[in-house]
Amino acid sequence: MAQVLEFKLPDLGEGLTEAEIVRWLVEVGDVVAIDQPVVEVETAKAMVEVPCPYGGVVTARFGEEGTELPVGAPLLTVAVGAPEGASGPAASPPSSSSPSSSGKGSGSGAESSGGSGNVLVGYGTGAPAARRRRIRPDRLDRAVAEAPVSGAPVVEAQVVEAPVAEVLVAEAPVSDGPVPVVSPLVRRLARQHDIDLRRLAGSGPDGLILRADVDRAIRAAEETAAATARAAQAPARPRAKPSTPSVPVAAAPNGVAAAAGAERIPLRGVRGAVADKLSRSRTEIPDATCWVDADATELMAVRAAMNAATGPSAGPKVSVLALLARICTAALARFPELNATVDTEAREIVRLPGVHLGFAAQTERGLVVPVVRDAHTRNVESIGAEIARLTELARTGKLSPAQLTGGTFTLNNYGVFGVDGSTPIINHPEAAMLGVGRIMPKPWVYQGELAVRQVVQLSLTFDHRVCDGGTAGGFLRYVADCVEQPAVLLRTL
């Protein structure tokens, strides 16, 4: 008899707690192979195709496109045929309490049913499957007919599904022990809305408090506050005069009045992640900005000469961004104070040994910051090639979470938007960001005479906890010197 295995949304890594279903890649009744992508989801980091660790027939899907699911919520069920020739104890269904099961994983029973062994973080089997086996067509038809979720034994990991339609918030008895919360995002969300986590009953594994639990508590508090406000204002509300037309006003969930017909856009996915990160940066980092105008005429001439080279010295085209990135790595070698982060709990400045250079890229899904790993070990050509590769992945929405995290310094070329200057917000938890405006012809005093030169404005926003203005000014001045006299870089090549 076929077994129906439940596949839950796995831990996609990097502390992500939920994902939105963008597109289903399979239908109910489809035959799927082990490790075949079954759904495309959008996290706060990137678009991800989620592969299924089971091979068999899809008997049910959970959630429509556009639905946001927490990690551990059921994605789909797959009917898997019993191994051929199995009998006796060896043919018994795998137990959800076996060592391969965990509250975080989604692949319980995968070892005995041909699990993948890898797939994504947080699920999959620990040992490789013995062999793959095709299910005979007659068994597939029979499995689909007899497996409407409740008709066949469902093997599932010990993960408690978070209630979706529940509005009431379950309160847990107040305890002096540790609060069962893993995600920093959940803690911050509760702190911003004055939610006492000790009074919440978590719906996750072992009572773990999920973001959905905090969201329900926030909605309940807002509804209570709105009801109280309406009750208090009802007796004192003046009658509207018939001759005076009034503009209809709708009460927003947070009590802020909004005009009728106002559009509400949920802060989720990439936009929500950007909002959370920028808010945290503004809250935690005491930033300051300094800027300087630089004559980039010589830098543009050097780039033109590089790209015009022919013969053995010819190579791929060099971008201005690649040159500026190489200048940044040279400047950070001289001023390592800015390649750092602050450990607020330990009250320590952590200077980082390598430069992982992030660069801001605007895409249809919003602002993302891909990271060039080990930029301090790369030359201009290598940095340029990696920037081009990551930019193409960003445009197609195929950047992985690992390619969007771990940066130590960010280069922001806002000049592509046709602006000269900006005071950007630091990409938390980094300590600095270099901003580059547009390069355009301007009058400039050159060698004692007024001339038209290619001028750019450079700005450095830095965390004042890691250094003082002298260090930040020295870094920015060195970058400007390299822009005005590219030959300065020859000392560090």
Side-chain angles (χ1 to χ4, degrees):
M1 180 179 176
Q3 285 184 327
V4 178
L5 303 180
E6 189 176 73
F7 172 44
K8 294 177 170 62
L9 178 65
D11 178 3
L12 300 173
E14 302 295 339
L16 302 175
T17 58
E18 63 269 323
E20 179 182 340
I21 297 175
V22 176
R23 181 168 59 100
W24 282 105
L25 305 178
V26 295
E27 301 287 342
V28 174
D30 285 356
V31 180
V32 295
I34 296 173
D35 290 354
Q36 176 181 332
V38 293
V39 65
E40 188 178 65
V41 301
E42 180 180 20
T43 70
K45 303 290 186 181
M47 301 273 277
V48 180
E49 287 186 351
V50 181
C52 179
Y54 311 126
V57 180
V58 178
T59 59
R61 299 187 319 192
F62 300 94
E64 299 297 327
E65 294 179 357
T67 303
E68 193 172 72
L69 298 177
V71 170
L75 270 179
L76 49 77
T77 55
V78 179
V80 179
E84 294 181 3
S87 62
S92 61
S95 170
S96 60
S97 60
S98 63
S100 62
S101 301
S102 67
K104 192 176 180 180
S106 311
S108 60
E111 290 188 9
S112 58
S113 59
S116 65
N118 48 10
V119 201
L120 293 175
V121 177
Y123 78 95
T125 57
R131 64 184 181 93
R132 293 191 180 183
R133 180 180 57 77
R134 296 183 180 276
I135 302 175
R136 295 202 303 268
D138 59 337
R139 290 192 177 181
L140 296 182
D141 296 337
R142 192 160 61 249
V144 175
E146 66 185 15
V149 181
S150 61
V154 178
V155 180
E156 57 179 324
Q158 298 298 319
V159 179
V160 180
E161 180 183 356
V164 177
E166 186 71 27
V167 177
L168 298 178
V169 180
E171 289 196 1
V174 180
S175 171
D176 294 332
V179 180
V181 179
V182 174
S183 171
L185 175 62
V186 173
R187 289 184 180 275
R188 183 172 70 254
L189 191 63
R191 186 167 59 250
Q192 291 173 347
H193 293 84
D194 295 326
I195 300 297
D196 187 356
L197 291 174
R198 298 181 185 276
R199 295 185 177 274
L200 293 187
S203 61
D206 299 323
L208 182 68
I209 297 176
L210 305 177
R211 179 172 180 174
D213 302 322
V214 177
D215 287 338
R216 281 193 296 275
I218 293 172
R219 285 195 299 270
E222 289 173 348
E223 290 172 1
T224 302
T228 303
R230 285 194 298 268
Q233 294 175 2
R237 184 178 298 167
R239 290 185 179 181
K241 296 181 180 179
S243 59
T244 306
S246 60
V247 179
V249 176
N254 60 359
V256 179
E263 181 183 7
R264 290 189 169 272
I265 303 173
L267 274 175
R268 62 186 184 188
V270 173
R271 186 73 262 160
V274 170
D276 291 339
K277 196 159 193 176
L278 296 184
S279 298
R280 183 176 184 183
S281 178
R282 274 294 191 220
T283 302
E284 293 186 10
I285 299 178
D287 58 346
T289 302
C290 54
W291 56 89
V292 66
D293 290 339
D295 180 3
T297 306
E298 295 299 325
L299 182 70
M300 301 303 289
V302 167
R303 173 177 176 261
M306 289 179 178
N307 292 337
T310 58
S313 60
K317 299 297 182 181
V318 175
S319 66
V320 175
L321 190 62
L323 289 171
L324 291 171
R326 181 64 185 88
I327 291 173
C328 280
T329 59
L332 289 172
R334 288 192 165 218
F335 299 91
E337 298 93 332
L338 294 170
N339 193 56
T341 187
V342 176
D343 186 340
T344 54
E345 293 186 0
R347 294 186 60 83
E348 293 176 342
I349 297 173
V350 183
R351 291 188 183 175
L352 304 169
V355 178
H356 302 311
L357 186 67
F359 63 96
Q362 191 70 33
T363 69
E364 293 181 356
R365 298 175 59 240
L367 178 68
V368 295
V369 184
V371 178
V372 177
R373 303 285 171 186
D374 300 315
H376 61 291
T377 65
R378 299 173 180 263
N379 57 24
V380 172
E381 283 189 0
S382 176
I383 292 176
E386 185 66 0
I387 287 176
R389 185 183 73 87
L390 293 172
T391 300
E392 182 59 28
L393 290 175
R395 287 173 180 167
T396 57
K398 294 181 179 179
L399 284 169
S400 67
Q403 292 168 323
L404 290 166
T405 53
T408 64
F409 186 92
T410 296
L411 174 60
N412 187 358
N413 181 20
Y414 45 75
V416 297
F417 302 118
V419 297
D420 296 325
S422 175
T423 56
I425 300 175
I426 295 174
N427 188 22
H428 185 279
E430 297 171 13
M433 175 185 292
L434 179 70
V436 183
R438 59 179 176 172
I439 301 174
M440 61 180 302
K442 288 183 179 180
W444 190 266
V445 177
Y446 177 69
Q447 294 182 349
E449 296 182 356
L450 189 63
V452 177
R453 306 286 287 181
Q454 298 292 323
V455 179
V456 62
Q457 185 180 97
L458 306 171
S459 65
L460 178 70
T461 300
F462 64 98
D463 186 340
H464 227 314
R465 296 173 297 179
V466 303
C467 69
D468 296 326
T471 300
F475 175 95
L476 188 60
R477 186 64 256 171
Y478 178 80
V479 170
D481 289 344
C482 290
V483 168
E484 295 183 338
Q485 305 173 53
V488 173
L489 269 180
L490 293 176
R491 296 179 179 177
T492 60
L493 295 178

